[in-house]
């Protein structure tokens, strides 16, 4: 046995007689210490009357790894090269370490010497776990287009601790988890999908600590899809809407889209307005009959979709009728014999004072847009393209029966009459 005696302290350097150390065990308390904890390496299974303890922080009994030697009889402790200022050997041979740091992790060896000059050796291991700081999640982009862009999220942390991911506060779904790198720090999703939009968090953890990042919110643009036109919350896409004469209608366009699409309305292929998701049709007439189309455009995906409806006057409204406005005019007033439900395919119309069979009673007619005054025209009558007739500055002789004759492009002829009263 080689020993040195500096003052009253013994320092065990090497021992020639070795005993079996299989029964000596060393375990840390607490078993999983966190950074800053006080740890005791507890020794069990020592035999005989121990004279000295020597602790090493390293894989071998090398002087460079010596933490401290302790002489039981005197209580003298001599620090070694690996002493950090936080270690102390106790009389029972255990090693106390105050405020452990991650660098205190590793293998510890205890070598004892008894009065028979025999040694025992025990091995233990300490793993000091960090108190982890929150990691940071970064993304290649936080707004992606569905089926086109690739999502790439990275979890950055100064610690080598294990990492796990959370999506909207819950564990990452299996389908998304398949896109993780082997170390769990990078998440890649080619052709990202809309259901993968949400809040992503990364958490680093060890047995004594867990720390989660701030959420990173991902937006996935998609659509427009399922473009439809609604009337009073009822889907009307692809159908015909019948509307009474002079009534109103609001068409509303909806679509599944992120972000909300831009809308363009068209009537019979001609653009009407751009912007709002609804279109108002007021005071329905035959001139407003036709196909109304809503076009939804997504400015992010650059995709578009459309839906159309056909708006027609109801059957009752199609029946022509003549309504004097005002209903009972007075002498000196103007009156308009307003025609409701006139045919859209009108070829020509003619107004008569009295029976249409008498040509000399013809007031006026409008063949293909050209005005022609008849024999009964007084100079106070004006015809309009919608078949209505204005009679100006009425006198009592203007009272009586007026007749309208219409002819369509298909040759269909209709005759209507109205009795005009002048007060």
């Amino acid at each position: 046995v080689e020993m040195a005696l500096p003052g009253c302290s013994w320092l065990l350097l090497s021992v020639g007689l070795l005993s079996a150390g299989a029964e000596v065990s060393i375990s840390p308390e607490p078993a999983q210490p966190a950074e800053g904890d006080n740890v005791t390496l507890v020794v069990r299974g020592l035999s005989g009357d121990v004279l000295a303890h020597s602790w090493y922080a390293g894989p071998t009994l090398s002087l460079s790894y010596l933490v401290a030697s302790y002489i039981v009889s005197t209580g003298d402790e001599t620090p070694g090269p690996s002493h950090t200022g936080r270690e102390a050997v106790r009389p029972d041979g255990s090693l106390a370490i105050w405020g452990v740091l991650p660098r205190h992790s590793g293998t510890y060896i205890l070598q004892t010497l008894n009065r028979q000059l025999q040694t025992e050796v025990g091995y233990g291991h300490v793993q000091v776990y960090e108190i982890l700081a929150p990691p940071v999640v970064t993304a290649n982009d936080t707004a992606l287009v569905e089926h086109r862009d690739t999502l790439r999220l990275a979890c950055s942390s100064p610690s080598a601790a294990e990492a796990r991911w959370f999506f909207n506060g819950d564990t990452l779904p299996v389908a998304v988890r398949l896109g993780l790198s082997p170390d769990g720090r990078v998440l890649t999703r080619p052709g990202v999908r809309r259901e993968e939009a949400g809040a992503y968090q990364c958490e680093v953890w060890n047995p004594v600590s867990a720390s989660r990042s701030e959420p990173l919110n991902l937006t996935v643009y998609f659509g427009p899809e399922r473009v439809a036109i609604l009337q009073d919350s009822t889907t009307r896409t692809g159908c015909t809407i019948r509307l009474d004469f002079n009534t109103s209608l609001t068409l509303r366009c909806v679509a599944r889209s992120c972000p909300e699409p831009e809308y363009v309305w068209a009537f019979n292929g001609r653009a009407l307005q751009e912007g709002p998701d609804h279109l108002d049709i007021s005071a329905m007439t035959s001139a407003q009959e036709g196909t109304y189309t809503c076009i939804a455009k997504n400015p992010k995906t650059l995709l578009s979709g459309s839906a159309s409806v056909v708006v027609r006057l109801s059957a009752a409204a199609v029946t022509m009728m003549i309504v004097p406005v005002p209903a009972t005019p007075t002498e000196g007033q103007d009156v308009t014999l307003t025609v409701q439900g006139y045919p859209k395919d009108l070829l020509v119309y003619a107004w008569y004072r009295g029976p249409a069979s008498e040509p000399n009673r013809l007031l006026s007619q409008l063949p293909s847009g050209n005005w022609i005054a008849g024999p009964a025209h007084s100079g106070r009558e004006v015809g309009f393209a919608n078949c209505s007739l204005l009679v100006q500055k009425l006198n009592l002789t203007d009272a009586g029966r007026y007749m309208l004759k219409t002819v369509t492009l298909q040759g269909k002829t209709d005759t209507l009459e109205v009795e005009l009263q002048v007060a």
Side-chain angles (χ1 to χ4, degrees), residues 306-365:
S306 64
S308 298
V309 294
V310 176
V311 178
R312 298 289 186 195
L313 284 169
S314 63
V318 171
T319 302
M320 282 198 303
M321 60 185 301
I322 301 173
V323 178
V325 180
T328 307
T330 61
E331 187 177 8
Q333 272 190 316
D334 295 348
V335 67
T336 300
L337 303 180
T338 305
V339 180
Q340 298 178 357
Y342 68 92
K344 287 196 66 175
D345 57 348
L346 181 69
L347 173 63
V348 64
Y349 77 82
W351 278 98
Y352 295 84
R353 279 292 309 272
S357 58
E358 301 180 21
N360 63 333
R361 293 181 176 269
L362 177 66
L363 286 172
S364 60
Q365 67 179 26

Side-chain angles (χ1 to χ4, degrees), residues 137-139 141-144 151 153 166-169 196-201 213-221:
V137 176
T138 57
D141 199 342
T142 57
L144 305 173
L151 167 65
L153 299 178
F166 292 86
F167 177 65
N168 291 334
E196 292 163 0
Y200 287 82
Q201 289 174 282
S213 71
E214 290 294 323
L216 183 145
N217 292 300
L218 173 70
T219 300
V220 177
Y221 298 131

Side-chain angles (χ1 to χ4, degrees), residues 5 10 38 49 68 85 113 133 139 154 159 172 178 225 244 292 316 325 350-351 370 385 396 402 420:
L5 181 60
W10 288 69
N38 297 329
D49 190 2
L113 177 67
S159 170
L172 204 65
L178 294 175
E225 300 171 351
D244 290 338
Y292 290 83
V325 180
W351 278 98
N370 298 317
L396 296 178
Y402 288 76
L420 177 62

Side-chain angles (χ1 to χ4, degrees), residues 162-387:
E162 293 191 60
R164 55 194 173 198
W165 290 84
F166 292 86
F167 177 65
N168 291 334
D170 296 323
T171 304
L172 204 65
V174 173
V176 181
R177 199 159 56 239
L178 294 175
L180 286 176
S181 60
D183 64 359
R185 293 295 183 103
V186 178
L187 173 62
T188 305
R189 298 293 288 166
V192 65
R193 294 182 288 274
R194 70 189 67 178
E195 57 269 21
E196 292 163 0
Y200 287 82
Q201 289 174 282
C202 169
E203 184 179 83
V204 289
W205 66 280
N206 58 35
V208 301
S209 176
S211 187
R212 195 174 296 188
S213 71
E214 290 294 323
L216 183 145
N217 292 300
L218 173 70
T219 300
V220 177
Y221 298 131
F222 63 86
E225 300 171 351
R226 301 184 183 179
V227 182
I229 294 177
L230 305 181
Q231 177 195 7
D232 300 327
S233 302
T234 304
T235 301
R236 297 298 188 186
T237 300
C239 71
T240 298
I241 299 174
R242 296 288 181 180
L243 204 60
D244 290 338
F245 181 83
N246 205 36
T247 58
S248 299
L249 170 68
T250 297
L251 300 177
R252 188 169 301 277
C253 193
V254 296
R256 292 183 58 186
S257 177
C258 177
E260 183 71 15
E262 300 169 351
Y263 296 100
V264 177
W265 288 92
F267 174 58
N268 292 334
R270 177 176 54 87
L272 289 178
Q273 63 183 29
E274 183 174 338
D277 62 354
H278 63 278
L279 178 68
D280 295 322
I281 301 174
S282 59
M284 179 68 186
T285 66
S286 59
Q288 294 163 294
E289 289 186 304
T291 301
Y292 290 83
T293 302
C294 166
I295 304 170
K297 299 179 180 180
N298 188 318
K300 299 297 184 179
T301 65
L302 304 181
L303 301 176
S304 62
S306 64
S308 298
V309 294
V310 176
V311 178
R312 298 289 186 195
L313 284 169
S314 63
V318 171
T319 302
M320 282 198 303
M321 60 185 301
I322 301 173
V323 178
V325 180
T328 307
T330 61
E331 187 177 8
Q333 272 190 316
D334 295 348
V335 67
T336 300
L337 303 180
T338 305
V339 180
Q340 298 178 357
Y342 68 92
K344 287 196 66 175
D345 57 348
L346 181 69
L347 173 63
V348 64
Y349 77 82
W351 278 98
Y352 295 84
R353 279 292 309 272
S357 58
E358 301 180 21
N360 63 333
R361 293 181 176 269
L362 177 66
L363 286 172
S364 60
Q365 67 179 26
L366 195 70
S368 303
N370 298 317
W371 173 264
I372 298 176
H377 192 277
S378 68
R380 294 180 289 114
E381 296 85 4
V382 179
F384 299 97
N386 63 359
C387 298

